[in-house]
Amino acid sequence: MTYSEKSTDIETEISNERVGFKKQVQWGNRKEFSFGKSWGIKTDGTIGEQYSYKFSTSDIKNPVFGVINNSGWILKKSLVDKYGSPWRWLIFIAIVLLGAACYLN
């Protein structure tokens, strides 16, 4: 069984001065980690931590891949996840073909 990772980030901004849209797509393995805390006045009137969080992509991937592996499947990464985006490969192939064409002429 092979898999390929793809992630998409979309940002929009609407204000009096501008309207903006940004979309970013990434193929290949992505590792992300974030955390945060908020302090303020609680409902009982005391000051303290209201919430905290942490996020890591491995918190989601590891259990899923664990179930797959424990079920007897063999998980293989795709070429994109092993070696980078398809654009890198297309550029590499184009350079090799150009080099071969120049050498043969």
Side-chain angles (χ1 to χ4, degrees):
M1 178 178 171
T2 61
Y3 78 98
S4 177
E5 292 185 35
K6 176 184 173 185
S7 61
T8 305
D9 295 325
I10 298 175
E11 295 178 24
T12 56
E13 177 184 354
I14 300 174
S15 68
N16 293 337
E17 295 144 7
R18 66 178 158 198
V19 174
F21 176 79
K22 177 182 173 185
K23 181 176 181 180
Q24 181 180 2
V25 179
Q26 178 182 349
W27 284 271
N29 195 4
R30 182 174 178 177
K31 293 182 179 155
E32 217 173 294
F33 178 79
S34 63
F35 62 92
K37 286 188 178 199
S38 173
W39 291 74
I41 301 173
K42 296 182 177 184
T43 55
D44 62 0
T46 62
I47 295 176
E49 184 180 309
Q50 293 179 324
Y51 69 86
S52 66
Y53 72 91
K54 74 171 192 149
F55 172 79
S56 175
T57 50
S58 62
D59 292 341
I60 296 171
K61 290 180 186 180
N62 291 346
V64 171
F65 293 159
V67 168
I68 292 169
N69 289 329
N70 291 336
S71 298
W73 290 81
I74 298 172
L75 193 58
K76 298 178 187 174
K77 290 185 176 184
S78 70
L79 285 177
V80 171
D81 287 316
K82 282 184 182 178
Y83 303 111
S85 74
W87 293 110
R88 287 184 195 160
W89 284 105
L90 289 175
I91 292 169
F92 174 75
I93 291 168
I95 291 170
V96 168
L97 291 175
L98 278 171
C102 290
Y103 178 76
L104 294 174
N105 285 332

XYZ file of all heavy atoms in Angstrom:
850
model
N 0.849 -1.178 0.000
C 0.000 0.000 0.000
C 0.896 1.243 0.000
O 1.783 1.368 0.816
C -0.891 -0.025 1.243
C -1.775 1.157 1.385
S -2.791 0.935 2.852
C -3.494 2.519 2.945
N 0.658 2.160 -0.932
C 1.423 3.402 -0.972
C 0.513 4.569 -0.615
O -0.706 4.493 -0.762
C 2.026 3.661 -2.357
O 0.976 3.772 -3.298
C 2.970 2.559 -2.767
N 1.115 5.624 -0.128
C 0.349 6.823 0.195
C 1.149 8.047 -0.211
O 2.360 8.002 -0.365
C -0.014 6.874 1.680
C 1.125 7.312 2.568
C 1.231 8.628 3.000
C 2.098 6.416 2.975
C 2.284 9.041 3.809
C 3.137 6.812 3.777
C 3.227 8.122 4.190
O 4.268 8.524 4.973
N 0.438 9.117 -0.401
C 1.056 10.392 -0.730
C 0.385 11.458 0.112
O -0.838 11.458 0.253
C 0.860 10.694 -2.209
O 1.399 11.952 -2.522
N 1.180 12.355 0.679
C 0.622 13.427 1.507
C 0.445 14.696 0.688
O 1.300 15.051 -0.114
C 1.543 13.718 2.693
C 1.587 12.588 3.686
C 2.406 12.940 4.907
O 2.400 14.107 5.333
O 3.053 12.032 5.445
N -0.678 15.350 0.905
C -0.948 16.641 0.277
C -1.629 17.507 1.321
O -2.566 17.078 1.985
C -1.866 16.467 -0.927
C -2.274 17.774 -1.561
C -3.273 17.537 -2.690
C -3.805 18.844 -3.202
N -4.856 18.649 -4.209
N -1.144 18.727 1.487
C -1.784 19.641 2.426
C -2.082 20.952 1.713
O -1.353 21.369 0.822
C -0.911 19.881 3.654
O 0.314 20.459 3.268
N -3.176 21.574 2.102
C -3.613 22.828 1.498
C -3.896 23.830 2.603
O -4.596 23.522 3.555
C -4.890 22.615 0.669
O -4.655 21.576 -0.282
C -5.296 23.870 -0.058
N -3.309 25.017 2.475
C -3.583 26.122 3.394
C -4.271 27.220 2.605
O -3.805 27.607 1.533
C -2.285 26.676 3.993
C -1.574 25.666 4.879
O -2.267 24.889 5.555
O -0.335 25.661 4.890
N -5.367 27.734 3.147
C -6.105 28.811 2.493
C -6.283 29.950 3.483
O -6.694 29.730 4.622
C -7.479 28.324 1.992
C -7.302 27.225 0.955
C -8.279 29.484 1.415
C -8.600 26.604 0.497
N -5.934 31.156 3.057
C -6.113 32.346 3.882
C -6.927 33.370 3.095
O -6.695 33.563 1.915
C -4.762 32.968 4.239
C -3.890 32.106 5.108
C -2.546 32.756 5.383
O -2.450 34.006 5.306
O -1.596 32.030 5.661
N -7.865 34.007 3.768
C -8.622 35.094 3.150
C -8.562 36.303 4.066
O -8.459 36.168 5.291
C -10.095 34.711 2.916
O -10.681 34.311 4.151
C -10.213 33.582 1.926
N -8.616 37.471 3.465
C -8.606 38.711 4.241
C -9.569 39.686 3.585
O -9.510 39.919 2.385
C -7.201 39.312 4.265
C -7.142 40.632 5.004
C -5.771 41.271 4.947
O -4.827 40.656 4.438
O -5.666 42.416 5.413
N -10.458 40.230 4.382
C -11.388 41.244 3.900
C -11.350 42.397 4.898
O -11.611 42.214 6.084
C -12.820 40.695 3.777
C -12.857 39.527 2.787
C -13.780 41.791 3.345
C -14.194 38.831 2.699
N -10.989 43.579 4.406
C -10.946 44.761 5.254
C -11.346 45.965 4.407
O -11.620 45.848 3.217
C -9.551 44.959 5.849
O -8.627 45.292 4.836
N -11.376 47.139 5.047
C -11.711 48.364 4.317
C -10.676 48.682 3.242
O -10.999 49.299 2.234
C -11.815 49.550 5.284
C -12.987 49.395 6.222
O -13.934 48.682 5.926
N -12.915 50.054 7.363
N -9.432 48.264 3.465
C -8.353 48.628 2.560
C -8.089 47.607 1.461
O -7.595 47.943 0.396
C -7.070 48.849 3.363
C -7.186 50.031 4.298
C -6.443 49.807 5.607
O -5.734 48.804 5.737
O -6.601 50.656 6.488
N -8.391 46.342 1.713
C -8.081 45.336 0.701
C -8.875 44.052 0.894
O -9.416 43.788 1.967
C -6.599 45.034 0.690
C -6.113 44.371 1.945
C -4.650 44.064 1.845
N -4.117 43.918 3.199
C -2.862 43.987 3.493
N -1.993 44.212 2.548
N -2.450 43.843 4.714
N -8.864 43.289 -0.169
C -9.434 41.945 -0.163
C -8.326 41.028 -0.641
O -7.679 41.303 -1.656
C -10.662 41.849 -1.095
C -11.156 40.421 -1.183
C -11.768 42.775 -0.627
N -8.080 39.969 0.080
C -6.986 39.089 -0.290
C -7.362 37.626 -0.175
O -8.239 37.237 0.594
N -6.689 36.821 -0.979
C -6.877 35.371 -0.972
C -5.522 34.729 -1.245
O -4.795 35.152 -2.146
C -7.880 34.954 -2.057
C -8.061 33.469 -2.174
C -8.864 32.792 -1.283
C -7.425 32.761 -3.175
C -9.038 31.422 -1.388
C -7.582 31.388 -3.291
C -8.404 30.728 -2.390
N -5.173 33.732 -0.463
C -3.911 33.031 -0.646
C -4.166 31.544 -0.480
O -4.818 31.115 0.472
C -2.890 33.504 0.389
C -1.567 32.784 0.322
C -0.649 33.292 1.428
C 0.610 32.477 1.509
N 1.455 32.879 2.632
N -3.673 30.767 -1.422
C -3.798 29.315 -1.347
C -2.418 28.717 -1.552
O -1.711 29.088 -2.484
C -4.753 28.796 -2.411
C -4.934 27.292 -2.362
C -5.958 26.834 -3.378
C -6.149 25.330 -3.293
N -7.117 24.845 -4.261
N -2.042 27.819 -0.670
C -0.746 27.164 -0.745
C -0.966 25.660 -0.709
O -1.677 25.154 0.165
C 0.120 27.607 0.429
C 1.487 27.012 0.443
C 2.297 27.493 1.642
O 1.826 28.246 2.476
N 3.527 27.037 1.738
N -0.387 24.948 -1.660
C -0.517 23.497 -1.728
C 0.876 22.898 -1.623
O 1.813 23.383 -2.247
C -1.191 23.056 -3.053
C -1.301 21.547 -3.116
C -2.559 23.694 -3.193
N 0.992 21.854 -0.834
C 2.283 21.194 -0.664
C 2.085 19.694 -0.795
O 1.209 19.114 -0.155
C 2.870 21.514 0.701
C 4.181 20.816 0.958
C 4.737 21.090 2.343
O 4.265 21.952 3.049
N 5.732 20.333 2.730
N 2.907 19.077 -1.644
C 2.939 17.633 -1.750
C 4.191 17.155 -1.052
O 5.246 17.770 -1.144
C 2.990 17.194 -3.215
C 1.688 17.324 -3.913
C 0.700 16.385 -3.980
C 1.223 18.455 -4.645
N -0.345 16.875 -4.708
C -0.054 18.137 -5.135
C 1.752 19.709 -4.930
C -0.797 19.020 -5.889
C 1.009 20.586 -5.683
C -0.246 20.241 -6.154
N 4.064 16.060 -0.349
C 5.214 15.507 0.358
C 5.003 15.554 1.853
O 4.031 16.118 2.356
N 5.896 14.934 2.549
C 5.812 14.824 3.996
C 5.883 16.200 4.652
O 6.733 17.011 4.315
C 6.942 13.936 4.498
C 6.725 13.471 5.905
O 5.702 13.737 6.508
N 7.692 12.774 6.435
N 4.996 16.455 5.577
C 4.954 17.740 6.274
C 4.852 17.480 7.767
O 4.007 16.723 8.214
C 3.752 18.537 5.788
C 3.653 19.896 6.408
C 2.535 20.661 5.762
N 2.394 21.960 6.364
C 1.546 22.862 5.963
N 0.756 22.618 4.956
N 1.469 24.024 6.561
N 5.718 18.119 8.516
C 5.678 18.006 9.971
C 5.410 19.388 10.535
O 6.064 20.353 10.156
C 6.993 17.453 10.495
C 7.196 16.034 10.061
C 8.459 15.440 10.587
C 8.493 14.012 10.092
N 9.751 13.446 9.983
N 4.450 19.445 11.420
C 4.065 20.731 11.982
C 3.862 20.590 13.484
O 3.423 19.555 13.956
C 2.735 21.155 11.342
C 2.624 22.618 11.072
C 1.360 22.940 10.297
O 1.246 22.522 9.138
O 0.505 23.606 10.892
N 4.191 21.654 14.208
C 4.007 21.669 15.648
C 3.619 23.088 16.052
O 4.202 24.052 15.566
C 5.300 21.259 16.372
C 5.190 21.302 17.857
C 4.573 20.272 18.541
C 5.667 22.386 18.571
C 4.463 20.319 19.926
C 5.558 22.440 19.944
C 4.948 21.398 20.627
N 2.615 23.210 16.894
C 2.248 24.531 17.403
C 1.707 24.382 18.823
O 1.268 23.311 19.226
C 1.210 25.204 16.502
O 0.014 24.461 16.476
N 1.763 25.475 19.574
C 1.224 25.469 20.929
C 0.811 26.896 21.282
O 1.232 27.859 20.649
C 2.232 24.924 21.945
C 3.488 25.738 22.036
C 3.597 26.768 22.968
C 4.561 25.484 21.201
C 4.748 27.524 23.046
C 5.715 26.234 21.272
C 5.809 27.257 22.198
N -0.024 27.000 22.287
C -0.453 28.319 22.724
C -1.138 28.269 24.079
O -1.583 27.214 24.536
N -1.204 29.417 24.731
C -1.883 29.555 26.027
C -2.580 30.901 26.053
O -2.138 31.850 25.411
C -0.888 29.509 27.188
C -0.345 28.158 27.487
C 0.468 28.178 28.763
C 0.945 26.768 29.048
N 1.340 26.582 30.400
N -3.639 30.963 26.806
C -4.344 32.226 26.989
C -4.553 32.461 28.485
O -5.015 31.571 29.201
C -5.704 32.183 26.280
O -6.450 33.336 26.580
N -4.209 33.671 28.908
C -4.398 34.062 30.292
C -5.386 35.219 30.337
O -5.420 36.045 29.431
C -3.075 34.505 30.913
C -2.113 33.374 31.100
C -1.401 32.731 30.139
C -1.794 32.740 32.320
N -0.637 31.742 30.681
C -0.854 31.721 32.021
C -2.180 32.919 33.636
C -0.321 30.900 32.996
C -1.628 32.099 34.608
C -0.722 31.101 34.294
N -6.174 35.250 31.372
C -7.139 36.333 31.496
C -7.987 36.171 32.739
O -7.675 35.391 33.641
N -9.081 36.910 32.769
C -9.996 36.850 33.916
C -10.954 35.687 33.714
O -11.648 35.608 32.707
C -10.766 38.176 34.056
C -9.776 39.329 34.253
C -11.759 38.098 35.205
C -10.416 40.695 34.231
N -10.973 34.802 34.681
C -11.848 33.627 34.622
C -13.254 34.009 35.051
O -13.494 35.125 35.551
C -11.311 32.525 35.530
C -9.962 31.983 35.102
C -9.542 30.877 36.041
C -8.254 30.248 35.644
N -7.902 29.128 36.504
N -14.176 33.098 34.907
C -15.576 33.363 35.273
C -15.755 33.595 36.772
O -16.693 34.269 37.178
C -16.484 32.192 34.825
O -15.986 30.970 35.374
C -16.525 32.080 33.315
N -14.842 33.051 37.599
C -14.958 33.276 39.048
C -14.257 34.566 39.493
O -14.159 34.855 40.671
C -14.394 32.077 39.819
C -12.905 31.854 39.564
O -12.298 32.624 38.793
O -12.364 30.893 40.138
N -13.739 35.360 38.518
C -13.118 36.634 38.840
C -11.618 36.582 39.074
O -10.979 37.617 39.195
N -11.042 35.387 39.141
C -9.595 35.286 39.340
C -8.876 35.389 38.000
O -9.468 35.181 36.941
C -9.227 33.950 40.015
O -9.633 32.875 39.150
C -9.901 33.800 41.359
N -7.589 35.718 38.080
C -6.783 35.791 36.872
C -5.969 34.511 36.768
O -5.336 34.081 37.734
C -5.844 37.011 36.915
C -6.671 38.300 36.918
C -4.892 36.992 35.730
C -5.858 39.560 37.055
N -6.005 33.911 35.598
C -5.256 32.672 35.413
C -5.361 32.172 33.990
O -5.890 32.837 33.103
N -4.859 30.980 33.794
C -4.863 30.373 32.463
C -6.280 29.986 32.072
O -6.972 29.295 32.803
C -3.961 29.138 32.463
C -3.822 28.491 31.115
C -2.926 27.268 31.147
O -1.794 27.363 31.673
O -3.359 26.229 30.644
N -6.708 30.442 30.890
C -8.036 30.100 30.402
C -8.011 28.818 29.572
O -8.912 27.999 29.661
C -8.625 31.246 29.580
C -8.911 32.459 30.433
C -9.476 33.596 29.609
O -9.097 33.789 28.463
N -10.383 34.342 30.205
N -7.007 28.689 28.739
C -6.854 27.458 27.966
C -5.408 27.339 27.491
O -4.654 28.297 27.498
C -7.804 27.406 26.762
C -7.478 28.401 25.669
C -6.561 28.097 24.666
C -8.098 29.649 25.635
C -6.260 29.006 23.678
C -7.802 30.558 24.647
C -6.883 30.230 23.660
O -6.589 31.137 22.679
N -5.054 26.130 27.091
C -3.768 25.888 26.460
C -3.955 24.748 25.461
O -4.878 23.940 25.596
C -2.698 25.539 27.486
O -2.990 24.313 28.099
N -3.111 24.722 24.455
C -3.189 23.657 23.467
C -1.807 23.380 22.900
O -0.906 24.203 22.982
C -4.152 24.007 22.331
C -3.618 25.071 21.401
C -2.888 24.723 20.271
C -3.817 26.423 21.657
C -2.377 25.697 19.428
C -3.319 27.393 20.818
C -2.607 27.030 19.698
O -2.107 27.993 18.865
N -1.672 22.212 22.334
C -0.501 21.870 21.541
C -0.970 20.967 20.419
O -1.938 20.217 20.558
C 0.596 21.210 22.364
C 0.335 19.791 22.749
C 1.568 19.159 23.375
C 1.318 17.665 23.466
N 2.481 16.869 23.345
N -0.331 21.103 19.286
C -0.682 20.303 18.119
C 0.589 19.842 17.439
O 1.530 20.604 17.272
C -1.515 21.121 17.122
C -1.725 20.396 15.820
C -2.679 19.414 15.724
C -0.938 20.680 14.721
C -2.859 18.730 14.531
C -1.110 19.996 13.530
C -2.074 19.021 13.436
N 0.596 18.599 17.046
C 1.701 18.031 16.284
C 1.104 17.072 15.262
O 0.199 16.291 15.586
C 2.662 17.294 17.201
O 3.655 16.649 16.440
N 1.597 17.129 14.033
C 1.076 16.221 13.012
C 1.310 14.760 13.393
O 0.516 13.897 13.027
C 1.726 16.506 11.643
O 3.144 16.546 11.797
C 1.245 17.818 11.080
N 2.362 14.487 14.151
C 2.621 13.110 14.556
C 1.545 12.583 15.510
O 1.319 11.378 15.580
C 4.008 12.976 15.185
O 4.101 13.768 16.343
N 0.844 13.481 16.243
C -0.255 13.049 17.112
C -1.393 12.439 16.301
O -2.178 11.645 16.812
C -0.812 14.229 17.919
C 0.174 14.746 18.951
O 1.119 14.021 19.301
O -0.013 15.900 19.409
N -1.492 12.807 15.043
C -2.541 12.277 14.175
C -1.993 11.131 13.322
O -2.610 10.073 13.208
C -3.110 13.392 13.275
C -3.792 14.436 14.155
C -4.070 12.829 12.240
C -4.213 15.673 13.437
N -0.815 11.326 12.726
C -0.262 10.333 11.807
C 0.126 9.023 12.499
O -0.163 7.944 11.984
C 0.974 10.893 11.103
C 0.686 11.971 10.119
C 2.003 12.426 9.498
C 1.834 13.598 8.605
N 3.114 14.022 8.024
N 0.797 9.110 13.637
C 1.308 7.893 14.285
C 0.213 6.883 14.620
O 0.374 5.697 14.339
C 2.135 8.241 15.513
C 3.443 8.911 15.154
O 3.864 8.905 14.007
N 4.084 9.518 16.135
N -0.929 7.289 15.230
C -1.976 6.294 15.490
C -2.564 5.691 14.209
O -2.842 4.491 14.149
C -3.044 7.082 16.255
C -2.340 8.247 16.836
C -1.243 8.572 15.867
N -2.738 6.517 13.182
C -3.299 6.011 11.922
C -2.339 5.008 11.292
O -2.742 3.906 10.891
C -3.595 7.175 10.943
C -3.964 6.655 9.573
C -4.694 8.060 11.500
N -1.043 5.374 11.201
C -0.068 4.468 10.621
C 0.106 3.223 11.491
O 0.378 2.146 10.981
C 1.273 5.160 10.423
C 1.232 6.247 9.372
C 2.184 7.240 9.363
C 0.243 6.288 8.407
C 2.162 8.237 8.401
C 0.206 7.285 7.446
C 1.170 8.254 7.446
N -0.055 3.360 12.805
C 0.014 2.206 13.701
C -1.081 1.196 13.420
O -0.838 -0.012 13.387
N -2.308 1.676 13.204
C -3.432 0.783 12.875
C -3.161 0.070 11.559
O -3.396 -1.135 11.424
C -4.762 1.577 12.812
C -5.867 0.742 12.202
C -5.161 2.053 14.196
N -2.656 0.810 10.576
C -2.365 0.213 9.264
C -1.303 -0.879 9.402
O -1.472 -1.990 8.895
C -1.922 1.304 8.266
C -3.092 2.227 7.953
C -1.353 0.684 6.996
C -2.724 3.478 7.193
N -0.211 -0.561 10.096
C 0.871 -1.544 10.263
C 0.431 -2.745 11.089
O 0.787 -3.880 10.774
C 2.096 -0.894 10.901
C 2.799 0.058 9.960
O 2.787 -0.132 8.752
N 3.397 1.098 10.507
N -0.349 -2.512 12.157
C -0.813 -3.615 13.006
C -1.849 -4.492 12.313
O -2.102 -5.610 12.743
C -1.384 -3.080 14.315
C -0.320 -2.479 15.202
O 0.857 -2.827 15.099
N -0.719 -1.568 16.072
N -2.442 -3.992 11.238
C -3.424 -4.771 10.476
C -2.750 -5.651 9.431
O -3.439 -6.341 8.685
C -4.425 -3.834 9.789
O -5.141 -3.106 10.759
N -1.424 -5.599 9.365
C -0.706 -6.459 8.434
C -0.356 -5.798 7.110
O 0.230 -6.436 6.244
N -0.701 -4.552 6.939
C -0.376 -3.846 5.702
C 1.057 -3.350 5.778
O 1.566 -3.018 6.841
C -1.299 -2.647 5.511
C -2.701 -3.024 5.191
C -3.658 -3.413 6.083
C -3.314 -3.064 3.914
N -4.819 -3.684 5.439
C -4.639 -3.476 4.090
C -2.871 -2.790 2.621
C -5.527 -3.610 3.033
C -3.759 -2.920 1.583
C -5.065 -3.335 1.786
N 1.694 -3.253 4.638
C 3.028 -2.667 4.557
C 2.856 -1.300 3.908
O 2.370 -1.197 2.784
C 3.978 -3.545 3.728
C 4.139 -4.900 4.406
C 5.322 -2.854 3.548
C 4.897 -5.909 3.576
N 3.240 -0.282 4.627
C 3.036 1.088 4.177
C 4.298 1.598 3.501
O 5.368 1.618 4.089
C 2.690 1.971 5.382
C 2.147 3.347 5.119
C 0.884 3.285 4.280
C 1.854 4.042 6.422
N 4.164 1.984 2.220
C 5.286 2.535 1.466
C 4.959 3.967 1.093
O 3.854 4.272 0.680
C 5.515 1.743 0.179
C 5.871 0.301 0.394
C 6.021 -0.389 -0.937
C 6.207 -1.868 -0.776
N 6.220 -2.550 -2.073
N 5.953 4.837 1.201
C 5.766 6.224 0.783
C 5.836 6.300 -0.742
O 6.523 5.517 -1.382
C 6.842 7.123 1.379
C 6.715 7.321 2.857
C 7.738 8.320 3.326
C 7.548 8.603 4.794
N 8.466 9.630 5.265
N 5.127 7.257 -1.299
C 5.204 7.473 -2.740
C 6.530 8.127 -3.086
O 7.263 8.598 -2.215
C 4.045 8.359 -3.201
O 4.237 9.680 -2.728
N 6.860 8.193 -4.363
C 8.097 8.842 -4.788
C 8.134 10.303 -4.374
O 9.172 10.833 -4.004
C 8.259 8.737 -6.303
C 8.673 7.376 -6.824
C 8.715 7.390 -8.349
C 10.013 6.970 -6.266
N 6.982 10.978 -4.427
C 6.929 12.394 -4.048
C 7.291 12.556 -2.578
O 8.057 13.437 -2.201
C 5.529 12.974 -4.335
C 5.399 14.369 -3.748
C 5.254 12.992 -5.824
N 6.752 11.696 -1.719
C 7.041 11.799 -0.293
C 8.480 11.396 0.025
O 9.068 11.894 0.968
C 6.063 10.949 0.516
C 4.686 11.568 0.552
O 4.610 12.788 0.759
O 3.695 10.851 0.360
N 9.044 10.491 -0.761
C 10.423 10.089 -0.519
C 11.418 11.118 -1.035
O 12.401 11.424 -0.392
C 10.715 8.750 -1.199
C 10.198 7.547 -0.475
C 10.651 6.303 -1.215
C 10.116 5.050 -0.572
N 10.506 3.855 -1.313
N 11.152 11.635 -2.229
C 12.179 12.407 -2.918
C 11.796 13.831 -3.285
O 12.561 14.515 -3.931
C 12.603 11.667 -4.183
C 13.100 10.282 -3.903
C 12.379 9.184 -4.310
C 14.279 10.080 -3.188
C 12.830 7.900 -4.036
C 14.731 8.800 -2.916
C 13.995 7.713 -3.344
O 14.435 6.454 -3.066
N 10.643 14.314 -2.924
C 10.297 15.704 -3.197
C 9.173 15.869 -4.211
O 8.580 14.908 -4.669
N 8.911 17.107 -4.546
C 7.771 17.437 -5.401
C 7.979 16.965 -6.831
O 9.109 16.793 -7.293
C 7.531 18.944 -5.395
O 8.514 19.582 -6.168
N 6.888 16.783 -7.577
C 7.010 16.345 -8.962
C 7.726 17.375 -9.831
O 8.340 17.020 -10.825
C 5.570 16.135 -9.406
C 4.707 16.781 -8.396
C 5.506 16.888 -7.144
N 7.655 18.659 -9.469
C 8.348 19.685 -10.253
C 9.849 19.480 -10.227
O 10.539 19.696 -11.217
C 7.975 21.080 -9.748
C 6.547 21.395 -10.005
C 5.548 21.501 -9.077
C 5.934 21.616 -11.275
N 4.366 21.769 -9.682
C 4.571 21.850 -11.037
C 6.391 21.625 -12.574
C 3.669 22.090 -12.063
C 5.492 21.866 -13.596
C 4.160 22.096 -13.326
N 10.382 19.074 -9.103
C 11.824 18.807 -9.024
C 12.222 17.713 -10.000
O 13.242 17.790 -10.665
C 12.213 18.391 -7.605
C 12.214 19.497 -6.630
C 12.714 19.008 -5.294
N 12.395 19.966 -4.268
C 12.342 19.696 -2.988
N 12.600 18.489 -2.572
N 12.040 20.611 -2.120
N 11.378 16.672 -10.070
C 11.675 15.566 -10.967
C 11.554 15.995 -12.416
O 12.379 15.602 -13.252
C 10.757 14.376 -10.669
C 11.210 13.670 -9.442
C 10.642 13.721 -8.207
C 12.363 12.852 -9.308
N 11.373 12.981 -7.323
C 12.433 12.428 -7.975
C 13.348 12.432 -10.189
C 13.443 11.604 -7.504
C 14.355 11.601 -9.718
C 14.395 11.205 -8.389
N 10.564 16.794 -12.742
C 10.412 17.255 -14.123
C 11.598 18.117 -14.540
O 12.114 17.986 -15.656
C 9.104 18.028 -14.283
C 7.830 17.194 -14.212
C 6.603 18.098 -14.266
C 7.793 16.183 -15.347
N 12.054 18.987 -13.663
C 13.212 19.828 -13.960
C 14.466 18.969 -14.113
O 15.257 19.154 -15.036
C 13.391 20.909 -12.873
C 12.230 21.907 -12.942
C 14.736 21.611 -13.008
C 12.154 22.856 -11.758
N 14.630 18.006 -13.222
C 15.783 17.107 -13.289
C 15.787 16.332 -14.607
O 16.815 16.240 -15.293
C 15.758 16.142 -12.093
C 16.826 15.081 -12.155
C 18.147 15.402 -11.883
C 16.508 13.783 -12.498
C 19.131 14.431 -11.939
C 17.492 12.809 -12.560
C 18.804 13.135 -12.280
N 14.646 15.779 -14.990
C 14.544 15.013 -16.234
C 14.829 15.917 -17.438
O 15.531 15.527 -18.374
C 13.168 14.327 -16.346
C 13.070 13.214 -15.296
C 12.933 13.775 -17.750
C 11.684 12.647 -15.106
N 14.294 17.158 -17.414
C 14.533 18.095 -18.512
C 16.023 18.412 -18.645
O 16.565 18.461 -19.766
C 13.725 19.370 -18.303
N 16.705 18.610 -17.524
C 18.140 18.904 -17.556
C 18.921 17.713 -18.106
O 19.832 17.876 -18.921
C 18.639 19.309 -16.148
C 18.069 20.670 -15.772
C 20.159 19.313 -16.083
C 18.298 21.062 -14.331
N 18.567 16.518 -17.686
C 19.257 15.322 -18.179
C 19.047 15.173 -19.682
O 19.987 14.891 -20.435
C 18.779 14.062 -17.422
C 19.263 12.791 -18.102
C 19.247 14.110 -15.978
N 17.811 15.367 -20.153
C 17.536 15.246 -21.584
C 18.264 16.325 -22.384
O 18.805 16.045 -23.463
C 16.030 15.312 -21.843
C 15.226 14.103 -21.349
C 13.741 14.343 -21.554
C 15.669 12.834 -22.068
N 18.296 17.563 -21.873
C 19.031 18.629 -22.555
C 20.524 18.322 -22.597
O 21.183 18.530 -23.621
C 18.795 19.962 -21.854
C 17.514 20.689 -22.214
C 17.295 21.882 -21.283
C 17.559 21.147 -23.651
N 21.058 17.833 -21.504
C 22.461 17.461 -21.465
C 22.781 16.342 -22.446
O 23.791 16.389 -23.159
N 21.908 15.356 -22.518
C 22.114 14.241 -23.454
C 22.024 14.733 -24.888
O 22.820 14.342 -25.744
C 21.083 13.143 -23.189
N 21.064 15.632 -25.184
C 20.917 16.172 -26.542
C 22.133 16.990 -26.932
O 22.625 16.891 -28.070
C 19.641 17.014 -26.632
N 22.650 17.798 -26.021
C 23.854 18.613 -26.317
C 25.073 17.719 -26.498
O 25.914 17.965 -27.355
C 24.102 19.614 -25.198
S 22.876 20.932 -25.134
N 25.172 16.662 -25.724
C 26.323 15.761 -25.802
C 26.320 14.977 -27.111
O 27.364 14.750 -27.720
C 26.298 14.811 -24.603
C 27.425 13.800 -24.598
C 28.708 14.195 -24.243
C 27.219 12.483 -24.949
C 29.754 13.291 -24.230
C 28.243 11.569 -24.943
C 29.511 11.978 -24.597
O 30.533 11.078 -24.585
N 25.139 14.556 -27.558
C 25.027 13.753 -28.768
C 25.197 14.577 -30.040
O 25.481 14.018 -31.098
C 23.694 13.006 -28.788
C 23.533 11.948 -27.693
C 22.131 11.369 -27.720
C 24.563 10.843 -27.866
N 25.002 15.884 -29.964
C 25.154 16.724 -31.158
C 26.546 17.051 -31.414
O 27.504 17.210 -31.243
C 24.333 18.004 -31.050
C 22.866 17.703 -31.275
O 22.533 16.758 -31.966
N 22.014 18.521 -30.704
